[in-house]
Amino acid sequence: MSLHPSLFAPVRLGRHTLKNRIVLPPLTRQRAGQPGDVATDLMASYYRQRASAGLIITEGTQIEPRGKGYAWTPGIHDAAQIAGWRKVTEAVHAEGGIIFAQLWHVGRVSHAALQPDGGAPVAPSAIRAARVKAFIETGPGAGTLVEPSLPRALSVAEIGELVALYAQAARNAMAAGFDGVEIHAANGYLVNQFISAHANHRSDEYGGSLQNRLRFLREIVQAVGEVVGPERLGVRFTPLFSSTDEDRVYIGLVEDDPHQTYLEAIAVLERAGVGYLSIAEADWDKAPELPLAFRHAVRAAFSGKILYAGRYTAEKGARLVEAGLADLIAFGRPFIANPDLPERIARGWPLNPLDATTLYGGAEAGFTDYPRHAPTITEGEPA
């Protein structure tokens, strides 16, 4: 018998049966092979080590060259990148795991140094991103955080081209052997920029009213769903109800009415038959809880699977599952430091500490060298 049995009950997600409710969420690690932002053998090892998760969602992988906001993040828009990701999916599948690719475009959270031909980043409106940094390479294996460049506003024709790029990235993910894809519509990146009244000052059909600001999301969900099947599609949001001034903390934009904004966004997913909704909560120190009324409204509005992430303990996650408010719980930093996290949770084993200095960039250290638990002779199945 395991501890927290609600986290270990299998659950159906579209055509897949997940072996547990524990998820490895998207976690930027900045270790893609250079040049070319290609997933590597080392990345395949990292994901393979964590294949005991019920579901793995990859780090954000940019759908096109303009979608990059951080040096050394992987892409999924050319043949070499597809081949690199195929090594990852094969490694995870060999261990019986299920893995989705997160499709990412940072929009305005970028810098000219990261853009093709040094151009301006693209965005719904020409409004510079504040309180967030891009990361540029300054030399081999070296880089620095920088203020994002002033973006340029996309034309309507270019928005249509971007929708097609999302669909193509989904095709590429299927060619790479992924079991599904997640649209990154959170954290102040491109899709979130269209949704947010703070970042979207357009006066055409993609701006103004909330329904217009949700148009880009609707079109991407439809286009990607047509490629992979809506049951193999997830969408991630960050419905923040408050913000923080802490340095280097940025998980999105706080709307004037976040409850209404995100219930309308979730309605888009419900109408499309999307397989799961991922909600990333505020995760800074002493961050407020997501309102319970919002959690209940989400459950009432969405009939697919609901995934929550944000400094969860096993106890807190199990309570949310047992209350019927969540189907899946993501553990980010604990899963980085504990490749065997599900077994540690089930058996009540202690967790490895995280080395925060090795989160971004580098090689094996802090990536694939965290040990699995070696039980002592007195440790065994919990009573």
Side-chain angles (χ1 to χ4, degrees):
M1 179 179 176
S2 69
L3 298 174
H4 313 297
S6 60
L7 296 179
F8 293 91
V11 61
R12 192 79 182 163
L13 177 62
R15 63 191 71 185
H16 305 293
T17 298
L18 309 186
K19 56 197 169 193
N20 59 54
R21 310 297 182 104
I22 296 168
V23 176
L24 174 68
L27 297 160
T28 297
R29 305 305 308 275
Q30 291 178 277
R31 284 168 167 85
Q34 303 303 315
D37 297 331
V38 176
T40 64
D41 291 343
L42 186 66
M43 289 168 61
S45 295
Y46 165 77
Y47 285 109
R48 177 183 54 76
Q49 289 174 349
R50 290 156 181 80
S52 61
L55 174 64
I56 290 173
I57 307 161
T58 70
E59 63 212 270
T61 183
Q62 50 257 8
I63 66 164
E64 62 140 337
R66 295 177 303 174
K68 181 177 176 180
Y70 307 88
W72 319 320
T73 53
I76 195 161
H77 51 79
D78 67 29
Q81 293 167 350
I82 294 168
W85 279 119
R86 192 175 297 117
K87 295 179 185 178
V88 173
T89 62
E90 289 173 354
V92 169
H93 290 153
E95 299 292 332
I98 293 171
I99 184 167
F100 280 38
Q102 192 191 58
L103 306 182
W104 190 26
H105 197 303
V106 301
R108 68 182 189 170
V109 186
S110 187
H111 188 275
L114 296 164
Q115 293 292 309
D117 302 319
V122 296
S125 301
I127 303 168
R128 192 189 304 269
R131 299 171 59 219
V132 62
K133 299 287 181 69
F135 184 89
I136 63 171
E137 186 176 66
T138 56
T144 188
L145 291 163
V146 292
E147 297 288 342
S149 300
L150 180 69
R152 67 172 182 84
L154 290 154
S155 70
V156 170
E158 287 177 311
I159 294 170
E161 291 164 2
L162 269 165
V163 173
L165 287 171
Y166 272 94
Q168 184 58 51
R171 286 186 203 96
N172 295 348
M174 294 297 101
F178 282 103
D179 299 301
V181 299
E182 177 180 288
I183 295 168
H184 195 347
N187 299 109
Y189 297 123
L190 184 63
V191 182
N192 196 178
Q193 289 159 30
F194 272 88
I195 294 170
S196 177
H198 303 298
N200 182 348
H201 291 183
R202 300 178 72 95
S203 57
D204 59 16
E205 62 264 43
Y206 289 94
S209 69
L210 176 56
Q211 289 306 315
N212 279 2
R213 300 198 313 273
L214 290 171
R215 188 182 304 274
F216 187 51
L217 171 69
R218 280 198 302 273
E219 292 178 353
I220 294 169
V221 166
Q222 179 179 347
V224 172
E226 287 173 357
V227 170
V228 304
E231 76 283 357
R232 293 204 291 186
L233 172 59
V235 179
R236 181 174 240 211
F237 293 135
T238 42
L240 292 183
F241 286 74
S242 65
S243 189
T244 179
D245 291 322
E246 292 182 34
D247 189 39
R248 290 197 67 174
V249 170
Y250 180 82
I251 71 162
L253 300 152
V254 183
E255 302 309 311
D256 291 340
D257 186 349
H259 186 108
Q260 182 65 19
T261 298
Y262 281 97
L263 284 182
E264 289 295 332
I266 289 165
V268 171
L269 313 190
E270 176 67 10
R271 286 192 291 269
V274 165
Y276 75 85
L277 160 66
S278 172
I279 292 182
E281 299 177 41
D283 64 354
W284 54 84
D285 288 337
K286 300 180 181 176
E289 283 281 321
L290 199 64
L292 185 60
F294 180 72
R295 294 189 196 274
H296 281 284
V298 170
R299 176 54 90 189
F302 188 67
S303 60
K305 299 302 182 286
I306 298 172
L307 162 61
Y308 281 102
R311 289 204 175 182
Y312 275 87
T313 61
E315 291 79 6
K316 181 181 174 184
R319 284 197 303 270
L320 209 59
V321 171
E322 289 156 12
L325 295 174
D327 302 288
L328 301 161
I329 303 293
F331 300 89
R333 293 181 174 218
F335 226 145
I336 287 175
N338 298 274
D340 54 344
L341 183 66
E343 188 173 15
R344 289 182 189 245
I345 289 173
R347 295 175 181 264
W349 289 341
L351 301 185
N352 294 325
L354 177 79
D355 179 1
T357 67
T358 58
L359 285 173
Y360 306 111
E364 294 91 347
F367 192 52
T368 56
D369 65 346
Y370 282 107
R372 301 177 70 85
H373 182 68
T376 66
I377 201 162
T378 58
E379 287 177 328
E381 293 286 348

